[in-house]
């Protein structure tokens, strides 16, 4: 099996994690990195032993030796960078949230199909062994019929209008930055979009949402979600059924899950990974590319589009309520 040569767009924190975990993947290697600053790209390349560093993204996209691009920039840049990479004939793994609108997502899906290239949103949580085990327990009926899903993800970030997370011009706000995680977990176990999705929020001085609670209604169950820049939320996921429940601490980076019936722990799982958890999605994406697949079976593009619609609806709900 060949090795996929990856090029990285962006030299921030999450790109470092990708490089470190890529070392644990047999059929993948990082061969180039690009940043808006050549000095930053060179420093990143030296730190990770990467052969080539570019001071522009276009140079990376035009590198004929690169098979696939990993995009690790702020989410408002994802659409243009994904589109350019696909048009240059590269396969693409793009950080979440994939885009900032459902329309952008649809256009990228069309581009990927037209250019016959693999495209995937980097929802790495879906590939974590503990999440896969929890999903296996649920699918095998060990908690009975689904009754509730609960998930939250939040970390305190002090308000500063110049920070990317709060910047109105960079699609700032806790929903796209962190809320994608609980929304994605609910989507995995629900398997479909909710009938109704409601949200209430609180806002930073510049009007960006910095604390959001969400309620999703399905015919047979409900889902409660929250995200915040104001506080460190518990960051647990709970999949609650008629005969038991699954608890997943720090579900966004889950390394374990526990199965309960009433108050009794009846099963547990803890992974033995060596990396941060990115290695599982890197391996999966690389194998898909090698096999000639155009999308992931675990994170299909239809899921990315569903999540984009949900975030659009939530933001619209928050906007309509902002004066109250």
């Amino acid at each position: 099996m060949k090795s996929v040569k990856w090029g990285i767009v962006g030299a921030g924190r999450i790109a470092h994690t990708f490089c470190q975990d890529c070392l644990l993947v047999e059929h993948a290697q990082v061969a180039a990195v690009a940043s808006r600053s050549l000095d930053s790209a060179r420093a990143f390349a030296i730190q990770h032993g990467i052969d080539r560093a570019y001071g522009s993204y276009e140079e990376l996209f035009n590198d004929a030796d690169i098979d696939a691009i990993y995009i690790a920039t702020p989410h408002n840049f994802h659409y243009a960078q994904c589109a350019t990479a696909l048009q240059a004939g590269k396969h693409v793994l793009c950080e979440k949230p994939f885009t900032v609108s459902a329309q952008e997502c649809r256009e990228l899906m069309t581009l990927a199909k037209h250019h016959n290239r693999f495209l995937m949103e980097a929802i790495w949580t879906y590939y974590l062994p503990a999440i896969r085990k929890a999903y296996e327990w649920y699918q095998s009926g060990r908690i009975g019929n689904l009754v509730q899903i609960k998930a939250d993800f939040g970390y305190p970030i002090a308000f500063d209008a110049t920070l990317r997370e709060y910047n109105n011009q960079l699609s700032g706000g806790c929903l796209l930055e962190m809320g994608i995680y609980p929304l994605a977990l609910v989507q995995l176990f629900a398997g479909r979009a909710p009938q109704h999705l409601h949200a209430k929020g609180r806002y930073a001085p510049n009007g960006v949402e910095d604390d959001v609670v969400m309620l999703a209604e399905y015919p047979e169950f409900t889902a409660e979600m929250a995200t915040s820049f104001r506080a460190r939320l518990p960051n647990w996921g709970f999949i609650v059924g008629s005969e038991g429940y699954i608890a997943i601490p720090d579900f966004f980076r889950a390394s374990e899950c526990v199965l309960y019936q009433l108050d009794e722990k009846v099963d547990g799982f803890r992974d033995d990974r060596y990396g941060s958890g990115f290695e599982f999605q890197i391996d999966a994406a690389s194998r898909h590319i090698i096999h000639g697949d155009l999308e992931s079976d675990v994170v299909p593009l239809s899921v990315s589009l569903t999540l984009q619609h949900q975030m659009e609806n939530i933001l619209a709900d928050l906007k309509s309520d902002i004066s109250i």
Side-chain angles (χ1 to χ4, degrees):
M1 185 182 290
K2 63 173 281 191
S3 181
V4 175
K5 293 183 179 179
W6 288 90
I8 296 181
V9 169
R13 175 185 55 82
I14 203 164
H16 286 284
T17 302
F18 184 94
C19 281
Q20 292 159 4
D21 285 2
C22 197
L23 296 174
L24 302 171
V25 180
E26 183 179 0
H27 304 293
Q29 65 175 106
V30 177
V33 61
S35 176
R36 289 175 298 176
S37 161
L38 182 56
D39 288 342
S40 295
R42 284 174 172 167
F44 187 98
I46 291 170
Q47 180 177 345
H48 294 284
I50 300 171
D51 291 338
R52 297 185 294 285
Y54 296 116
S56 75
Y57 303 137
E58 289 73 17
E59 290 177 280
L60 174 60
F61 297 151
N62 292 327
D63 186 335
D65 192 46
I66 297 299
D67 302 309
I69 300 294
Y70 170 63
I71 294 176
T73 53
H75 33 265
N76 62 300
F77 299 123
H78 289 175
Y79 169 76
Q81 292 166 352
C82 282
T84 306
L86 290 168
Q87 290 165 342
K90 307 302 184 187
H91 305 285
V92 176
L93 174 65
C94 180
E95 264 309 321
K96 71 208 139 336
F98 198 31
T99 57
V100 297
S101 74
Q103 180 60 33
E104 287 184 349
C105 184
R106 282 191 293 267
E107 290 179 8
L108 290 181
M109 292 166 67
T110 299
L111 265 179
K113 184 176 181 180
H114 176 74
H115 291 282
N116 200 40
R117 288 296 178 264
F118 176 83
L119 177 63
M120 173 182 151
E121 183 175 12
I123 305 180
W124 65 295
T125 300
Y126 278 16
Y127 287 98
L128 296 174
I131 298 296
R132 303 315 303 168
K133 177 57 70 174
Y135 189 71
E136 176 189 314
W137 286 340
Y138 164 64
Q139 287 286 84
S140 64
R142 296 193 66 182
I143 63 169
N145 297 322
L146 196 56
V147 176
Q148 293 185 17
I149 306 174
K150 300 175 185 290
D152 52 46
F153 184 47
Y155 276 94
I157 300 176
F159 175 71
D160 180 343
T162 65
L163 286 177
R164 175 184 64 79
E165 291 85 355
Y166 283 102
N167 193 321
N168 276 312
Q169 304 305 310
L170 298 179
S171 301
C174 63
L175 180 66
L176 269 64
E177 183 69 23
M178 296 182 182
I180 181 69
Y181 281 98
L183 283 166
L185 187 75
V186 168
Q187 176 64 29
L188 176 64
F189 285 90
R192 60 192 189 278
Q195 288 182 311
H196 304 287
L197 184 57
H198 313 281
K200 292 290 182 180
R202 295 183 183 277
Y203 307 91
N206 66 344
V208 167
E209 83 282 352
D210 62 2
D211 188 86
V212 180
V213 294
M214 298 160 276
L215 176 65
E217 298 179 54
Y218 299 82
E220 308 90 358
F221 57 91
T222 57
E224 301 171 30
M225 297 161 283
T227 186
S228 185
F229 285 163
R230 294 192 175 199
R232 202 286 191 189
L233 300 181
N235 298 342
W236 282 58
F238 293 95
I239 317 302
V240 183
S242 57
E243 299 176 16
Y245 71 92
I246 301 165
I248 314 171
D250 278 347
F251 76 89
F252 68 100
R253 60 183 178 195
S255 60
E256 63 178 309
C257 55
V258 183
L259 177 63
Y260 290 88
Q261 291 178 353
L262 293 179
D263 296 325
E264 181 184 1
K265 175 183 174 180
V266 296
D267 209 342
F269 172 87
R270 180 183 291 272
D271 72 29
D272 56 355
R273 69 180 185 239
Y274 293 101
S276 302
F278 276 32
E279 63 266 35
F280 305 109
Q281 76 166 357
I282 297 170
D283 180 70
S286 298
R287 288 177 182 273
H288 281 303
I289 290 167
I290 290 167
H291 293 152
D293 302 326
L294 297 186
E295 62 180 296
S296 163
D297 56 339
V298 174
V299 190
L301 294 170
S302 59
V303 165
S304 296
L305 183 58
T306 295
L307 293 172
Q308 287 294 327
H309 279 298
Q310 290 179 14
M311 289 186 290
E312 278 191 352
N313 291 339
I314 291 166
L315 288 173
D317 202 14
L318 294 177
K319 186 176 181 180
S320 68
D321 194 48
I322 198 167
S323 62
I324 296 176

